[in-house]
Amino acid sequence: MMRTRPLKVALLGCGVVGSEVARIMTTHADDLAARIGAPVELAGVAVRRPARVRAGIDQSLVTTDATALVKRGDIDVVVEVIGGIEPARTLITTAFEHGASVVSANKALLAQDGAALHAAAEDHDADLYYEAAVAGAIPLIRPLRESLAGDKVNRVLGIVNGTTNFILDKMDTTGAGYQEALDEATALGYAEADPTADVEGFDAAAKAAILAGIAFHTRVRLDDVYREGMAEVTAADFASAKEMGCTIKLLAICERAADGASVTARVHPAMIPLTHPLASVRGAYNAVFVESDASGQLMFYGPGAGGAPTASAVLGDLVAVCRNRLNGATGPGESAYAALPVSGMGEVVTRYHISLDVADKPGVLAQVATVFAEHGVSIDTVRQQGKDGEASLVVVTHRASDAALGGTVEALRKLDTVRGVASIMRVEGE
């Protein structure tokens, strides 16, 4: 039997995502009520610019006083889609203190202060849901947190930023340079006017922190995630990747050490074999590949951003939280019981593709090979091309630690026959 008294929802932010949340709540009101067991009512919308016309939203609900809205006491669920650290953090904790549960899409805040927010939610018997914070419409957090709760996740490998994937895909398929591909992404609306958060990996790093924390039942903060941007990726790198049967993606990689005693989380460009499912992810789409003991390999794929896709994830959380409110219960909170140490990048073991500019003369290869051997880095393949006294030497290693590779490269730079290190790229997905 459906309850007639509505559950009241406060919406913080009414931009691209927030306006879609409000629209879906209105146009799908009957379906949402049937799925929840009670109607949901948009009780207030907090914005910075109240004069802006917002189609389909009752202007009487619009306010600039977000604090007063979350303090009302009759609000059941606060939906936070304003982003950033403050005032979002204060508004969320205030909502908990005044009896509301929270649905958020705020990856930056959750990556930085997720533990404190979870603790605040638990202290006030409230829910904190955030499916939309990672990979847009793709159901990912709930499967990791609930569907795989009885399994042991060993690795999460994914493309979690649509802007960077669009740029790298254009470079791969058209031969465009980085700046040319970025300009096209900006013109099409895939990249912000300031694309730093995307192309330097900050956005993906925040998502990696969230995913690692859930997957490994360990608190992983943004500062724990190693990050490299993609601005240095060149057409030459793609040419080398193709010669190896690979392409290049900006990957978020969260993995458990082989001995199970620690975890790592990192974001960087990497070569990935064309045979790997992630290699076929095109345009602005996202995909995440999960490897676990019992389930084996799972892949989650779909649009990772955009108003409607992200709003879909928000509404999914809203339905779950509202059901919990009706039942007088809360859903899963933070699971950090494993408390595994988070290792630094130096301990990460992977393959490497190194391109060197060297003198084109006898003995160079032997010198380079000796340096690799002295640092305990085994060589898989070597390719050398020379002309007019100069040459390029491409070395692909077997698996080695980042620390060992770093020492190798430092020693290579000291060789008289090595003119420079043109590029270093990790090879993942094997």
Side-chain angles (χ1 to χ4, degrees), residues 101-116:
S101 288
V102 173
V103 173
S104 176
N106 195 332
K107 54 188 170 288
L109 178 58
L110 289 159
Q112 178 171 305
D113 289 321

Side-chain angles (χ1 to χ4, degrees), residues 298-384:
L298 305 170
M299 181 157 157
F300 302 83
Y301 170 84
T310 305
S312 171
V314 170
L315 268 294
D317 278 350
L318 179 62
V319 169
V321 170
C322 285
R323 286 172 175 168
N324 291 342
R325 299 284 287 194
L326 288 180
N327 294 326
T330 56
E334 182 189 34
S335 175
Y337 73 90
L340 295 170
V342 183
S343 297
M345 189 63 188
E347 298 179 45
V348 169
V349 176
T350 189
R351 297 178 68 204
Y352 289 86
H353 175 282
I354 305 103
S355 180
L356 305 172
D357 295 326
V358 299
D360 186 16
K361 63 182 184 179
V364 173
L365 179 56
Q367 286 184 324
V368 169
T370 297
V371 170
F372 275 88
E374 288 174 347
H375 289 80
V377 179
S378 176
I379 294 175
D380 182 17
T381 63
V382 178
R383 186 175 71 254
Q384 185 172 4

Side-chain angles (χ1 to χ4, degrees), residues 55-113:
I57 296 178
D58 185 344
Q59 190 62 25
S60 66
L61 298 178
V62 176
T63 178
T64 57
D65 194 343
T67 301
L69 179 59
V70 300
K71 282 184 174 181
R72 276 178 36 176
D74 63 335
I75 300 296
D76 294 287
V77 184
V78 170
V79 174
E80 183 271 310
V81 289
I82 56 178
I85 305 302
E86 288 291 356
R89 174 170 47 198
T90 299
L91 291 171
I92 289 173
T93 55
T94 301
F96 291 144
E97 292 165 359
H98 288 78
S101 288
V102 173
V103 173
S104 176
N106 195 332
K107 54 188 170 288
L109 178 58
L110 289 159
Q112 178 171 305
D113 289 321

Side-chain angles (χ1 to χ4, degrees), residues 150-299:
D151 206 343
K152 179 184 177 183
V153 176
N154 296 309
R155 197 175 198 223
V156 180
L157 175 76
I159 299 164
V160 295
N161 183 279
T163 300
T164 57
N165 200 57
F166 178 89
I167 293 169
L168 292 173
D169 186 38
K170 281 294 177 182
M171 293 177 69
D172 185 23
T173 57
T174 69
Y178 169 76
Q179 190 60 51
E180 182 183 353
L182 173 58
D183 290 343
E184 182 175 353
T186 304
L188 292 172
Y190 291 125
E192 301 287 346
D194 179 359
T196 302
D198 294 325
V199 300
E200 292 299 326
F202 291 101
D203 176 84
K207 295 169 181 176
I210 294 169
L211 291 175
I214 296 170
F216 306 132
H217 306 279
T218 292
R219 287 178 178 168
V220 179
R221 299 180 73 253
L222 181 58
D223 291 345
D224 295 322
V225 182
Y226 174 84
R227 177 193 56 79
E228 283 181 24
M230 50 175 273
E232 301 302 317
V233 177
T234 66
D237 291 325
F238 274 102
S240 293
K242 287 180 180 179
E243 290 179 358
M244 290 180 58
C246 294
T247 188
I248 299 172
K249 300 291 186 182
L250 185 77
L251 297 177
I253 306 169
C254 315
E255 56 190 353
R256 192 187 300 267
D259 62 3
S262 64
V263 299
T264 57
R266 51 197 165 102
V267 169
H268 53 72
M271 294 182 180
I272 189 165
L274 294 175
T275 54
H276 194 283
L278 290 178
S280 62
V281 178
R282 301 297 184 189
Y285 274 71
N286 284 190
V288 177
F289 200 73
V290 178
E291 301 173 10
S292 65
D293 277 1
S295 300
Q297 297 178 331
L298 305 170
M299 181 157 157

